């Protein structure tokens, strides 16, 4: 109702009112609390709002956006080149990240990014084989625990310098042999 006072509209549904005001550029983002911005980033289905939020500089906000299933793929792709390894790690964890971006992130300099790639349930055995030779024990351990890892790669990891990686590879190989 156009005659409803603004304070009543906000009381009816403050979250919707804040999001609508921001989307329509009535309320500047700078006037909102970090919590309101975070909630909008991770939960909004308004693509215009998500695009607007994606231009803000905070790392935590990019991470929140990457948790949103409605985040457009072009923003995910843009974030795959982010300066922050934490942001790139969340790109790798995002289920909507395209395969070509996942393959690129498998070569990332950040071990946590590569570990996130190796943790994916939809990763190919070929990419897991490549990551099984990563210098980081953390990455190799993620490979040793991923059900998509081939038996040949697991056999290779049985000889790993890390007893944890070798043990996890043995455990997964035993499970695969029982299937």
């Amino acid at each position: 109702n156009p005659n409803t006072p603004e304070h009543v509209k906000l009381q009816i549904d403050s979250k919707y009112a804040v999001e609508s005001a921001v989307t329509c550029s009535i309320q500047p983002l700078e006037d909102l609390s970090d919590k309101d911005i975070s909630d909008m980033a991770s939960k909004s289905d308004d693509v215009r709002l998500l695009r607007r939020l994606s231009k803000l500089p905070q790392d935590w906000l990019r991470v929140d956006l990457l948790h949103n299933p409605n985040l457009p793929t072009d923003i995910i792709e843009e974030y795959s080149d982010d300066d922050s390894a934490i942001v790139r790690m969340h790109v790798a964890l995002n289920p909507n990240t395209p395969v070509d971006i996942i393959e690129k992130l498998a070569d990332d300099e950040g071990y946590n990014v590569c570990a996130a790639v190796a943790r994916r349930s939809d990763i190919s055995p070929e990419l897991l084989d490549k990551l099984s030779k990563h210098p980081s024990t953390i990455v190799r351990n993620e490979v040793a625990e991923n059900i998509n890892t081939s038996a040949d790669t697991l056999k290779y990891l049985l000889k790993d310098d890390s007893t944890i990686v070798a043990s996890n590879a043995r455990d997964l190989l035993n499970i695969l042999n029982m299937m």
Side-chain angles (χ1 to χ4, degrees):
N1 181 347
N3 297 325
T4 304
E6 192 61 33
H7 72 279
V8 173
K9 288 180 189 175
L10 288 172
Q11 289 173 353
I12 292 170
D13 187 352
S14 63
K15 182 175 181 268
Y16 174 76
V18 168
E19 186 171 323
S20 296
V22 170
T23 302
C24 298
S25 298
I26 295 168
Q27 183 171 9
L29 291 171
E30 299 77 27
D31 292 349
L32 298 175
S33 72
D34 286 351
K35 181 178 179 348
D36 285 339
I37 292 173
S38 177
D39 286 346
M40 286 187 291
S42 59
K43 298 174 186 164
S44 178
D45 60 357
D46 185 324
V47 173
R48 282 186 344 173
L49 175 61
L50 296 174
R51 288 190 184 286
R52 188 166 173 215
L53 292 172
S54 76
K55 301 302 179 207
L56 296 176
Q58 296 92 340
D59 288 356
W60 62 264
L61 179 57
R62 292 192 299 282
V63 169
D64 284 346
L65 283 164
L66 285 161
H67 290 170
N68 188 322
N70 302 304
L71 188 66
T73 305
D74 62 305
I75 296 173
I76 296 171
E77 290 179 20
E78 176 186 333
Y79 286 174
S80 72
D81 292 320
D82 199 274
D83 290 338
S84 168
I86 299 298
V87 172
R88 295 191 313 275
M89 178 185 75
H90 284 275
V91 169
L93 293 171
N94 186 302
N96 297 324
T97 300
V99 173
D100 61 317
I101 299 298
I102 294 299
E103 290 171 352
K104 177 182 89 168
L105 292 173
D107 291 324
D108 196 274
E109 62 189 32
Y111 76 88
N112 57 346
V113 177
C114 295
V117 170
R119 192 175 305 133
R120 290 180 65 97
S121 61
D122 61 348
I123 189 170
S124 71
E126 296 77 21
L127 202 49
L128 286 163
D129 182 59
K130 176 182 176 179
L131 290 168
S132 72
K133 291 141 180 93
H134 195 279
S136 169
T137 303
I138 294 168
V139 175
R140 294 191 315 275
N141 193 56
E142 290 293 343
V143 173
E145 292 181 338
N146 192 313
I147 194 73
N148 295 327
T149 304
S150 72
D152 288 341
T153 301
L154 290 170
K155 288 174 187 171
Y156 168 80
L157 290 173
L158 288 174
K159 302 174 202 136
D160 197 273
D161 291 339
S162 166
T163 56
I164 293 171
V165 172
S167 175
N168 285 333
R170 184 174 30 268
D171 291 347
L172 185 54
L173 196 55
N174 287 337
I175 290 169
L176 292 176
N177 287 331
M178 290 175 21
M179 293 179 153

